Amino acid sequence: MVELIRIGIMVVLGTQVSYFLAMLLVYDSMMDWYEWSTFPDPENIFEKTVNIVTASFIGVAYWSGLRVKKRNWFMKRVYLVGYLSVYSIIATIIYFVLYSFVKFLGRTFGWS
């Protein structure tokens, strides 16, 4: 159980990194893809769920893309590499904190 949760944490954090890398290569296409895959004004639970799942997997990279939208081609990539570097450090810290918490819960409740 602990290992499964660890893999889930790595998938969520790793998906953000892969979306960052895709944005470095094809910025406009990835920004459009995110906007097409979400609902601007969700009206029901299905639309809200889609937005939450999409944001949890690739939302940080999209937010970073919005921050650099008005820059030129080269500076977009420079800023995105900076955001990716900061995200990687923060994601590593988050991973170790969550994994330590899950290991603690695993020892406390006897999860194997």
Side-chain angles (χ1 to χ4, degrees):
M1 180 73 165
V2 173
E3 193 67 19
L4 183 63
I5 294 172
R6 183 183 72 83
I7 291 170
I9 294 168
M10 287 180 9
V11 165
V12 171
L13 297 175
T15 304
Q16 294 275 3
V17 171
S18 64
Y19 199 77
F20 263 113
L21 295 174
M23 283 181 61
L24 285 172
L25 298 174
V26 284
Y27 172 82
D28 292 325
S29 297
M30 297 311 287
M31 292 296 285
D32 289 341
W33 182 83
Y34 183 89
E35 291 165 1
W36 292 335
S37 67
T38 57
F39 297 96
D41 294 318
E43 297 175 359
N44 56 34
I45 191 72
F46 170 75
E47 293 175 352
K48 291 177 183 179
T49 303
V50 168
N51 284 358
I52 289 170
V53 169
T54 305
S56 67
F57 278 94
I58 55 180
V60 174
Y62 176 73
W63 174 83
S64 300
L66 288 177
R67 303 275 299 166
V68 300
K69 195 173 198 171
K70 296 188 192 288
R71 308 284 179 187
N72 65 20
W73 185 90
F74 180 73
M75 289 310 292
K76 277 182 191 175
R77 274 53 182 187
V78 170
Y79 278 105
L80 284 174
V81 167
Y83 280 123
L84 176 60
S85 301
V86 170
Y87 175 77
S88 297
I89 293 167
I90 292 172
T92 303
I93 293 168
I94 289 171
Y95 167 76
F96 283 117
V97 167
L98 289 176
Y99 185 53
S100 298
F101 180 69
V102 169
K103 280 192 335 189
F104 169 74
L105 289 177
R107 278 182 265 145
T108 302
F109 294 112
W111 299 340
S112 54

